[in-house]
């Protein structure tokens, strides 16, 4: 059955790729430290960017409030100027006082927010410089690391081409199923049957399933773990 052969090849390719990936992911200590630094800096940048967005949004709200408070104050001041009667004048002054107080209660936090934004922008600029420097250092050492592991890098290229070619022989749904299973089942979507049991989940195959598998007419999957099965 050709489909099973392709799936088995695909599984073998995936196994080799996983091995290479593990070797390439095992960074020496200096590189691992730099990698951690880049990631930590990126995290800080993300957090500060979020804080900056929040502060900017608050500034927008407060700015609108301030514009309104300014208008209210202007109106109150104009009222003071046009009032001639003593009684009304006292009330108008009181109204102006009130509006001035309201404006101050908006403008103070607004000022604080503007200072926060400035501080965040400065911190972000400094972090970005740090990130770029750490990334450059990492890239430089990583290039050397990859050169030392050129066999794996070359092997990965070859395997990825092979994977693409194999997948082209299957339907997109079959390819998707294969990878979904592999991801959910420790990288193993196609497994051998040993002593009448699925070697993926160790559940014994039922008689009829085992018989169908021996017949080799259709693709058989494990009833317990859904992995594709084949006989030794
Ligand atoms: Zn199974």
């Amino acid at each position: 059955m050709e489909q099973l052969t392709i799936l088995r090849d695909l599984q073998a390719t995936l196994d080799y790729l996983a091995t290479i990936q593990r070797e390439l992911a095992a960074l020496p200590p200096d590189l691992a430290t730099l990698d951690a630094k880049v990631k930590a800096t990126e995290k800080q940048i993300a957090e500060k960017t979020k804080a900056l967005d929040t502060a900017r949004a608050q500034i927008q709200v407060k700015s609108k409030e301030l514009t309104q408070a300014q208008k209210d104050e202007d109106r109150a001041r104009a009222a003071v100027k046009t009032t001639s009667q003593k009684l009304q004048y006292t009330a108008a002054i009181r109204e102006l006082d009130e509006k001035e107080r309201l404006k101050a209660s908006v403008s103070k936090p607004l000022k604080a927010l503007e200072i926060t934004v400035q501080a965040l922008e400065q911190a972000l600029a400094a972090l970005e410089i740090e990130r770029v420097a750490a990334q450059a250092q990492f890239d430089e050492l990583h290039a050397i690391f990859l050169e030392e592991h050129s066999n794996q890098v070359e092997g990965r290229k070859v395997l990825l081409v092979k994977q693409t070619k194999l997948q082209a022989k299957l339907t997109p749904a079959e390819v998707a199923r294969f990878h979904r299973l592999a991801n959910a089942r420790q990288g193993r979507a196609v497994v051998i049957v040993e002593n009448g049991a699925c070697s993926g989940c160790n559940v014994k195959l039922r008689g009829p399933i085992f018989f169908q598998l021996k017949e080799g007419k259709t693709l058989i999957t494990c009833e317990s773990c859904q992995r594709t099965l084949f006989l030794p």
Side-chain angles (χ1 to χ4, degrees):
M1 212 202 330
E2 210 209 338
Q3 202 190 359
L4 182 61
T5 311
I6 297 165
L7 283 170
R8 283 180 64 175
D9 277 354
L10 201 53
Q11 180 65 60
T13 309
L14 193 70
D15 292 343
Y16 285 132
L17 272 172
T19 306
I20 287 179
Q21 210 51 51
R22 261 196 302 277
E23 284 165 5
L24 290 178
L27 298 173
D30 52 346
L31 259 178
T33 307
L34 279 170
D35 188 39
K37 194 180 173 191
V38 169
K39 282 182 181 136
T41 314
E42 279 171 350
K43 197 175 162 220
Q44 274 181 289
I45 287 175
E47 281 165 6
K48 292 219 186 296
T49 303
K50 207 176 155 198
L52 185 62
D53 289 344
T54 306
R56 279 182 177 149
Q58 284 171 331
I59 283 182
Q60 275 208 326
V61 173
K62 289 276 166 216
S63 295
K64 271 185 200 153
E65 282 175 24
L66 185 65
T67 307
Q68 187 56 50
Q70 184 66 60
K71 270 186 201 159
D72 291 347
E73 191 196 290
D74 290 347
R75 206 174 297 126
R77 182 163 290 116
V80 170
K81 278 184 188 160
T82 53
T83 306
S84 47
Q85 284 185 333
K86 196 166 182 255
L87 203 65
Q88 280 174 353
Y89 185 77
T90 311
I93 286 286
R94 205 176 298 130
E95 178 77 6
L96 178 58
D97 274 352
E98 174 64 18
K99 295 302 176 199
E100 277 175 347
R101 236 191 330 272
L102 274 173
K103 194 181 87 177
S105 76
V106 178
S107 72
K108 260 185 211 162
L110 184 58
K111 199 96 215 141
L113 278 168
E114 278 161 357
I115 289 167
T116 303
V117 162
Q118 240 175 20
L120 282 169
E121 281 170 347
Q122 278 169 5
L124 272 169
L127 278 170
E128 183 56 20
I129 290 169
E130 252 179 70
R131 190 194 65 78
V132 169
Q135 183 70 59
Q137 253 183 309
F138 176 86
D139 289 347
E140 200 180 314
L141 287 178
H142 196 229
I144 296 166
F145 173 80
L146 289 180
E147 227 165 83
E148 286 166 359
H149 293 74
S150 56
N151 282 344
Q152 284 94 327
V153 174
E154 205 43 52
R156 183 167 60 182
K157 272 188 214 159
V158 172
L159 286 167
L160 286 173
V161 169
K162 191 178 174 195
Q163 191 180 47
T164 307
K165 277 185 186 162
L166 286 169
Q167 288 179 173
K169 294 179 186 174
L170 300 169
T171 67
E174 285 165 342
V175 173
R177 182 179 186 278
F178 173 85
H179 285 290
R180 199 171 50 240
L181 258 179
N183 284 333
R185 305 260 189 273
Q186 297 88 41
R188 299 173 73 211
V190 184
V191 295
I192 194 165
V193 170
E194 282 171 333
N195 304 319
C198 161
S199 67
C201 67
N202 295 320
V203 168
K204 257 206 152 22
L205 267 57
R206 290 193 300 120
I209 299 290
F210 195 71
F211 180 75
Q212 277 184 304
L213 187 63
K214 268 187 169 170
E215 265 192 333
K217 282 184 185 160
T218 53
L219 212 58
I220 303 299
T221 57
C222 171
E223 288 183 297
S224 163
C225 71
Q226 277 78 51
R227 287 183 175 101
T228 301
L229 302 171
F230 65 91
L231 286 168

